[in-house]
Amino acid sequence: MRVLGIDTSCDETAVAIVDDGVRIRSNIVASQTAVHEAFAGVVPELASRAHLDAFLPILERALEEASCTMDDVDAIAVTNTPGLVGALLVGLTAAKTLAWLHDKPLVAVNHVEAHLYAARLDEDGPVDPVVGLIASGGHTCLMRADGPTAIELIGSTIDDAAGEAFDKAAAMLGLGFPGGKAIDDAARDGDPTRFDFPRTLLARDSLDFSFSGLKTAVLYAAKGPNARRRAPLLADVRVEDVAASFQRAVVDVLIEKLDRAVRRERPRSVVIGGGVAANRELRARATEWASGTGVALHVPPIALCVDNAAMIAGLGYHHAVAGNVADLELDADPTPIRR
Ligand code: KG4
Ligand code: ZN
């Protein structure tokens, strides 16, 4: 079964074609970084407009790279939740139009569940049950999966997402947007023990996350107590040390929560995904942790960790096979996933 996947949930216009939930025939992503850079964050209305401009050329490229036409597509999978409502609506309207025009089944996909699915696009993918940590700019959560579509949310952020914390810390430090990669790079030349930033772990057995306190701690350490975000850095503060100490604090929390989830759920495999999974310290620490606990760790290649539509088409295949098909009444639901 050949599935066309579409994702426009945030600031990437993505279209992909995947066969049988595993064979990626094309995976095209148009980034809007240049549109949002000046604002140091994603501007929802600009994102919707940029999706409108990008969608048809990206669809054409995805079909061309897969050497097929809409006639060869068996189903259309689209992200309908969560995300920016205006951005989601562009992909959803496109998917409905294509489904109606070409008389193909339409499948709704949850974007965060698709991030977890990304690891299954590999032939040697995870074995169920799976515990997954998904950390990106829009969401940070822990999930348990007993199959591609049998997913239970077991933890989520109560305030900022991990990637959002990276982006905000980078903006405060004048490192640009998106900030994750910039912090990752700066941290390489920094001392991660220079600042003892808070690790918010919440209750003893909690699998939820909170990063807003850390963000404030970074601001005060870098710019002085009660400083404003735009204030200059203190004279004796090295950006690299703040970046390294901040990154260490985030990674400590992510690994601790993952460890708690694994002790509780006893999975056979662990998956880490979402844009923050590109972080070098997180990848290294997770690998070290997994070898210590003996659990099989799966971290998809970076192109499948960040937003893409191959993961949407892949998970969409399993929904289609299960007969979980939507109609043209399907609506966008921007609600972030929360337990
Ligand atoms: O999954 P993604 O592409 O989009 C969302 O669904 O949000 O994730 C983007 C997020 C951004 O917050 C970005 O700063 C972060 O992932 N990110 C990183 C790194 N590369 C991207 N965070 C930490 N270290 C990185 N190397
Ligand atoms: Zn995402």
Side-chain angles (χ1 to χ4, degrees):
M1 183 190 282
R2 178 163 298 170
V3 180
L4 173 80
I6 297 173
D7 187 285
T8 60
S9 58
C10 189
D11 60 341
E12 253 97 41
T13 314
V15 180
I17 293 173
V18 176
D19 287 350
D20 301 324
V22 279
R23 277 186 303 284
I24 302 176
R25 298 186 59 99
S26 63
N27 186 21
I28 314 290
V29 180
S31 165
Q32 301 179 1
T33 301
V35 175
H36 305 289
E37 223 165 14
F39 306 94
V42 177
V43 183
E45 190 52 39
L46 296 182
S48 313
R49 283 189 221 165
H51 285 308
L52 271 178
D53 288 340
F55 186 78
L56 286 176
I58 296 295
L59 171 66
E60 265 165 35
R61 263 185 68 194
L63 288 167
E64 199 176 293
E65 255 189 43
S67 310
C68 71
T69 67
M70 283 306 297
D71 290 340
D72 308 310
V73 168
D74 299 306
I76 297 168
V78 63
T79 301
N80 77 316
T81 189
L84 301 169
V85 71
L88 285 167
L89 280 170
V90 177
L92 189 57
T93 306
K96 285 184 190 178
T97 307
L98 289 169
W100 175 73
L101 198 61
H102 299 281
D103 196 20
K104 309 284 181 189
L106 177 69
V107 179
V109 172
N110 176 304
H111 178 88
V112 185
E113 294 183 359
H115 270 300
L116 181 61
Y117 184 84
R120 298 186 199 255
L121 287 162
D122 180 358
E123 267 176 24
D124 299 313
V127 179
D128 294 309
V130 167
V131 158
L133 167 69
I134 303 303
S136 76
H139 21 75
T140 293
C141 63
L142 281 159
M143 290 181 277
R144 178 198 165 96
D146 291 283
T149 60
I151 297 169
E152 185 195 350
L153 187 65
I154 56 174
S156 55
T157 182
I158 59 170
D159 41 56
D160 293 350
E164 193 180 350
F166 269 96
D167 294 338
K168 287 178 178 168
M172 279 187 252
L173 299 174
L175 292 173
F177 171 84
K181 170 98 176 38
I183 296 254
D184 194 342
D185 290 342
R188 295 195 125 186
D189 303 315
D191 173 5
T193 63
R194 172 69 183 77
F195 298 96
D196 187 16
F197 289 133
R199 274 78 168 153
T200 308
L201 296 173
L202 306 169
R204 259 187 79 150
D205 57 350
S206 170
L207 297 181
D208 291 331
F209 301 88
S210 167
F211 292 107
S212 68
L214 172 60
K215 190 179 59 189
T216 311
V218 168
L219 175 64
Y220 294 172
K223 303 191 170 181
N226 299 316
R228 302 177 75 93
R229 279 190 193 198
R230 284 167 202 263
L233 284 186
L234 294 173
D236 59 342
V237 166
R238 284 183 73 235
V239 165
E240 292 83 358
D241 292 341
V242 182
S245 304
F246 162 82
Q247 180 171 282
R248 177 65 52 89
V250 175
V251 171
D252 279 353
V253 170
L254 294 176
I255 297 287
E256 166 64 21
K257 296 285 175 163
L258 188 55
D259 188 62
R260 284 183 188 180
V262 164
R263 281 170 199 276
R264 196 177 93 181
E265 303 291 334
R266 307 231 156 260
R268 290 181 67 190
S269 309
V270 166
V271 169
I272 301 183
V276 179
N279 185 267
R280 281 170 289 209
E281 183 167 351
L282 177 60
R283 290 173 96 92
R285 287 274 300 285
T287 306
E288 189 189 308
W289 163 83
S291 69
T293 56
V295 67
L297 176 67
H298 298 259
V299 189
I302 290 174
L304 296 176
C305 281
V306 297
D307 283 353
N308 67 89
M311 65 185 192
I312 307 300
L315 180 53
Y317 161 80
H318 291 275
H319 282 304
V321 166
N324 193 1
V325 171
D327 60 27
L328 296 181
E329 300 288 308
L330 179 67
D331 211 351
D333 177 5
T335 324
I337 65 166
R338 289 269 157 83
R339 275 183 318 122

